Amino acid sequence: METLWLMITNLGRDEVFIVVLALFTWLVRPRGGRELGVAFALSYLLNSALKYGLNLPRPFTNDPSLASEAARATAGGPGLPSGHAQMSATLWLGIAAQLRSTGFTVFAAVLVAVIAASRLLLNVHYPSDVVVGLLLGVAFALLAARVHFPQAGALRWGVPAALLVAAALIPAGAPREFGTGLGLLAGFWAARPTFAPPRDWAGRLIVAVLGLVMVFAVYFALGALPQELKDMGVVRALRYAALVLVATEGVPLALRRWLPAQAGAAQGAPQVVH
């Protein structure tokens, strides 16, 4: 049974989040994907700040026998709040809040619930860790659906520049999550998706496959940098900012035959794709 719960808990991995955010942006709601990405990055940063600020233990901290080695391998950093619960809720419920489809909302809620349950059944989190993570995830999901993050004028590049400066000031030995979160936020803040999603299934399939190949090629190429470079906060931030911009700007440019420019798209204004 543990194998099943490990498979479910792995739906809360970074790679899954990358795939879902990319596909939602390309195929469903480009501007909404940018707003969701900003909210996701803010959620990630708050989760990291609370984890390392509170530094609360996990169930297996004092007794490693409570969780298997495979289960402990899915647990990074201190316990509260649960990153799997919070980030899954931010992503899936954020999409549901934008789409306002009853069927998808039920699917998203069930998926988030089973991912959260897996953290308890694998004994890698206390119930309080999961509950707090879910509540924060719901809050950021609503933020993604109801707030437009402005980027007019100097804001588009001024905010990312400030975030990268902050990443450069991260002290050596600080948790890697801070550089990652600042990079994600910088990339999504600067992103300006003004393309239209493909209208036919063939176009959607082509964009999904070729787009993901491009994104993961960059992901693994940047991951191959020397470890001493990757450990630097500013380099980690630049890696993730570049990854986001490749997904939101590079892929649409390369696949513009299937992702044409949105007619009349206003620069920096909310975009609604039905």
Side-chain angles (χ1 to χ4, degrees), residues 197-217:
R199 295 178 178 270
D200 58 280
W201 283 105
R204 292 170 185 169
L205 181 61
I206 290 169
V207 168
V209 173
L210 295 183
L212 289 177
V213 167
M214 292 172 62
V215 166
F216 277 101

mmCIF file of all heavy atoms in Angstrom, residues 197-217:
data_model
loop_
_atom_site.group_PDB
_atom_site.id
_atom_site.type_symbol
_atom_site.label_atom_id
_atom_site.label_comp_id
_atom_site.label_asym_id
_atom_site.label_seq_id
_atom_site.Cartn_x
_atom_site.Cartn_y
_atom_site.Cartn_z
ATOM 1 N N PRO A 197 -4.313 30.274 -27.314
ATOM 2 C CA PRO A 197 -4.131 28.817 -27.278
ATOM 3 C C PRO A 197 -4.546 28.179 -28.598
ATOM 4 O O PRO A 197 -5.353 28.746 -29.355
ATOM 5 C CB PRO A 197 -5.082 28.372 -26.155
ATOM 6 C CG PRO A 197 -5.356 29.599 -25.361
ATOM 7 C CD PRO A 197 -5.301 30.732 -26.332
ATOM 8 N N PRO A 198 -4.006 27.014 -28.921
ATOM 9 C CA PRO A 198 -4.426 26.306 -30.149
ATOM 10 C C PRO A 198 -5.916 25.984 -30.088
ATOM 11 O O PRO A 198 -6.459 25.708 -29.022
ATOM 12 C CB PRO A 198 -3.587 25.015 -30.112
ATOM 13 C CG PRO A 198 -2.488 25.280 -29.155
ATOM 14 C CD PRO A 198 -3.011 26.255 -28.159
ATOM 15 N N ARG A 199 -6.564 26.002 -31.256
ATOM 16 C CA ARG A 199 -7.996 25.754 -31.304
ATOM 17 C C ARG A 199 -8.336 24.296 -31.564
ATOM 18 O O ARG A 199 -9.438 23.850 -31.247
ATOM 19 C CB ARG A 199 -8.640 26.613 -32.397
ATOM 20 C CG ARG A 199 -8.549 28.112 -32.126
ATOM 21 C CD ARG A 199 -9.152 28.905 -33.275
ATOM 22 N NE ARG A 199 -9.120 30.344 -33.010
ATOM 23 C CZ ARG A 199 -10.086 31.011 -32.403
ATOM 24 N NH1 ARG A 199 -11.171 30.359 -31.982
ATOM 25 N NH2 ARG A 199 -9.991 32.307 -32.209
ATOM 26 N N ASP A 200 -7.410 23.545 -32.170
ATOM 27 C CA ASP A 200 -7.706 22.160 -32.541
ATOM 28 C C ASP A 200 -6.851 21.199 -31.716
ATOM 29 O O ASP A 200 -5.821 21.584 -31.154
ATOM 30 C CB ASP A 200 -7.437 21.930 -34.041
ATOM 31 C CG ASP A 200 -5.993 22.254 -34.402
ATOM 32 O OD1 ASP A 200 -5.663 23.455 -34.567
ATOM 33 O OD2 ASP A 200 -5.173 21.315 -34.484
ATOM 34 N N TRP A 201 -7.284 19.950 -31.660
ATOM 35 C CA TRP A 201 -6.592 18.959 -30.835
ATOM 36 C C TRP A 201 -5.199 18.639 -31.357
ATOM 37 O O TRP A 201 -4.281 18.397 -30.576
ATOM 38 C CB TRP A 201 -7.433 17.688 -30.735
ATOM 39 C CG TRP A 201 -8.559 17.847 -29.775
ATOM 40 C CD1 TRP A 201 -9.884 18.013 -30.051
ATOM 41 C CD2 TRP A 201 -8.448 17.914 -28.340
ATOM 42 N NE1 TRP A 201 -10.620 18.173 -28.896
ATOM 43 C CE2 TRP A 201 -9.764 18.118 -27.836
ATOM 44 C CE3 TRP A 201 -7.396 17.833 -27.448
ATOM 45 C CZ2 TRP A 201 -10.039 18.223 -26.473
ATOM 46 C CZ3 TRP A 201 -7.656 17.946 -26.086
ATOM 47 C CH2 TRP A 201 -8.956 18.134 -25.609
ATOM 48 N N ALA A 202 -5.031 18.665 -32.680
ATOM 49 C CA ALA A 202 -3.696 18.399 -33.236
ATOM 50 C C ALA A 202 -2.718 19.482 -32.792
ATOM 51 O O ALA A 202 -1.585 19.198 -32.387
ATOM 52 C CB ALA A 202 -3.764 18.334 -34.757
ATOM 53 N N GLY A 203 -3.159 20.746 -32.850
ATOM 54 C CA GLY A 203 -2.305 21.839 -32.402
ATOM 55 C C GLY A 203 -1.984 21.751 -30.925
ATOM 56 O O GLY A 203 -0.860 22.009 -30.501
ATOM 57 N N ARG A 204 -2.976 21.375 -30.114
ATOM 58 C CA ARG A 204 -2.749 21.230 -28.676
ATOM 59 C C ARG A 204 -1.720 20.142 -28.389
ATOM 60 O O ARG A 204 -0.858 20.298 -27.517
ATOM 61 C CB ARG A 204 -4.070 20.915 -27.978
ATOM 62 C CG ARG A 204 -5.059 22.061 -28.007
ATOM 63 C CD ARG A 204 -6.422 21.638 -27.523
ATOM 64 N NE ARG A 204 -7.391 22.723 -27.665
ATOM 65 C CZ ARG A 204 -8.688 22.581 -27.516
ATOM 66 N NH1 ARG A 204 -9.198 21.386 -27.225
ATOM 67 N NH2 ARG A 204 -9.494 23.615 -27.664
ATOM 68 N N LEU A 205 -1.836 19.042 -29.110
ATOM 69 C CA LEU A 205 -0.889 17.941 -28.898
ATOM 70 C C LEU A 205 0.523 18.357 -29.299
ATOM 71 O O LEU A 205 1.494 18.071 -28.587
ATOM 72 C CB LEU A 205 -1.332 16.714 -29.699
ATOM 73 C CG LEU A 205 -0.455 15.467 -29.565
ATOM 74 C CD1 LEU A 205 -0.423 14.986 -28.118
ATOM 75 C CD2 LEU A 205 -0.960 14.352 -30.484
ATOM 76 N N ILE A 206 0.643 19.049 -30.427
ATOM 77 C CA ILE A 206 1.964 19.488 -30.890
ATOM 78 C C ILE A 206 2.587 20.450 -29.880
ATOM 79 O O ILE A 206 3.760 20.326 -29.511
ATOM 80 C CB ILE A 206 1.848 20.148 -32.277
ATOM 81 C CG1 ILE A 206 1.523 19.094 -33.334
ATOM 82 C CG2 ILE A 206 3.136 20.886 -32.637
ATOM 83 C CD1 ILE A 206 1.137 19.669 -34.677
ATOM 84 N N VAL A 207 1.796 21.423 -29.418
ATOM 85 C CA VAL A 207 2.306 22.394 -28.446
ATOM 86 C C VAL A 207 2.692 21.701 -27.142
ATOM 87 O O VAL A 207 3.749 21.981 -26.560
ATOM 88 C CB VAL A 207 1.257 23.493 -28.188
ATOM 89 C CG1 VAL A 207 1.645 24.337 -26.970
ATOM 90 C CG2 VAL A 207 1.120 24.379 -29.410
ATOM 91 N N ALA A 208 1.836 20.782 -26.674
ATOM 92 C CA ALA A 208 2.113 20.097 -25.410
ATOM 93 C C ALA A 208 3.419 19.310 -25.489
ATOM 94 O O ALA A 208 4.273 19.417 -24.603
ATOM 95 C CB ALA A 208 0.956 19.174 -25.051
ATOM 96 N N VAL A 209 3.586 18.545 -26.549
ATOM 97 C CA VAL A 209 4.766 17.679 -26.657
ATOM 98 C C VAL A 209 6.028 18.493 -26.908
ATOM 99 O O VAL A 209 7.018 18.387 -26.166
ATOM 100 C CB VAL A 209 4.564 16.629 -27.773
ATOM 101 C CG1 VAL A 209 5.852 15.850 -28.002
ATOM 102 C CG2 VAL A 209 3.431 15.674 -27.408
ATOM 103 N N LEU A 210 6.006 19.328 -27.959
ATOM 104 C CA LEU A 210 7.212 20.097 -28.286
ATOM 105 C C LEU A 210 7.541 21.120 -27.199
ATOM 106 O O LEU A 210 8.703 21.332 -26.868
ATOM 107 C CB LEU A 210 7.038 20.799 -29.632
ATOM 108 C CG LEU A 210 6.913 19.891 -30.864
ATOM 109 C CD1 LEU A 210 6.818 20.721 -32.140
ATOM 110 C CD2 LEU A 210 8.101 18.938 -30.949
ATOM 111 N N GLY A 211 6.502 21.728 -26.629
ATOM 112 C CA GLY A 211 6.740 22.710 -25.574
ATOM 113 C C GLY A 211 7.397 22.081 -24.358
ATOM 114 O O GLY A 211 8.358 22.628 -23.803
ATOM 115 N N LEU A 212 6.891 20.931 -23.931
ATOM 116 C CA LEU A 212 7.474 20.269 -22.760
ATOM 117 C C LEU A 212 8.887 19.776 -23.042
ATOM 118 O O LEU A 212 9.746 19.801 -22.156
ATOM 119 C CB LEU A 212 6.576 19.120 -22.305
ATOM 120 C CG LEU A 212 5.247 19.543 -21.662
ATOM 121 C CD1 LEU A 212 4.408 18.318 -21.319
ATOM 122 C CD2 LEU A 212 5.483 20.383 -20.412
ATOM 123 N N VAL A 213 9.142 19.316 -24.272
ATOM 124 C CA VAL A 213 10.505 18.909 -24.628
ATOM 125 C C VAL A 213 11.456 20.090 -24.483
ATOM 126 O O VAL A 213 12.558 19.970 -23.916
ATOM 127 C CB VAL A 213 10.553 18.344 -26.067
ATOM 128 C CG1 VAL A 213 11.992 18.220 -26.552
ATOM 129 C CG2 VAL A 213 9.870 16.982 -26.132
ATOM 130 N N MET A 214 11.038 21.262 -24.977
ATOM 131 C CA MET A 214 11.882 22.459 -24.875
ATOM 132 C C MET A 214 12.103 22.859 -23.420
ATOM 133 O O MET A 214 13.221 23.161 -23.000
ATOM 134 C CB MET A 214 11.240 23.605 -25.655
ATOM 135 C CG MET A 214 11.210 23.409 -27.154
ATOM 136 S SD MET A 214 10.228 24.688 -28.001
ATOM 137 C CE MET A 214 11.166 26.158 -27.575
ATOM 138 N N VAL A 215 11.037 22.856 -22.638
ATOM 139 C CA VAL A 215 11.144 23.289 -21.238
ATOM 140 C C VAL A 215 12.047 22.356 -20.447
ATOM 141 O O VAL A 215 12.935 22.801 -19.700
ATOM 142 C CB VAL A 215 9.744 23.378 -20.596
ATOM 143 C CG1 VAL A 215 9.849 23.477 -19.079
ATOM 144 C CG2 VAL A 215 8.981 24.575 -21.148
ATOM 145 N N PHE A 216 11.859 21.048 -20.614
ATOM 146 C CA PHE A 216 12.671 20.118 -19.826
ATOM 147 C C PHE A 216 14.096 20.032 -20.349
ATOM 148 O O PHE A 216 15.016 19.706 -19.583
ATOM 149 C CB PHE A 216 12.002 18.752 -19.754
ATOM 150 C CG PHE A 216 10.947 18.684 -18.677
ATOM 151 C CD1 PHE A 216 9.607 18.795 -18.993
ATOM 152 C CD2 PHE A 216 11.310 18.574 -17.350
ATOM 153 C CE1 PHE A 216 8.641 18.770 -17.999
ATOM 154 C CE2 PHE A 216 10.357 18.550 -16.343
ATOM 155 C CZ PHE A 216 9.017 18.644 -16.665
ATOM 156 N N ALA A 217 14.307 20.335 -21.627
ATOM 157 C CA ALA A 217 15.686 20.409 -22.125
ATOM 158 C C ALA A 217 16.430 21.527 -21.399
ATOM 159 O O ALA A 217 17.583 21.351 -20.968
ATOM 160 C CB ALA A 217 15.689 20.653 -23.633
#
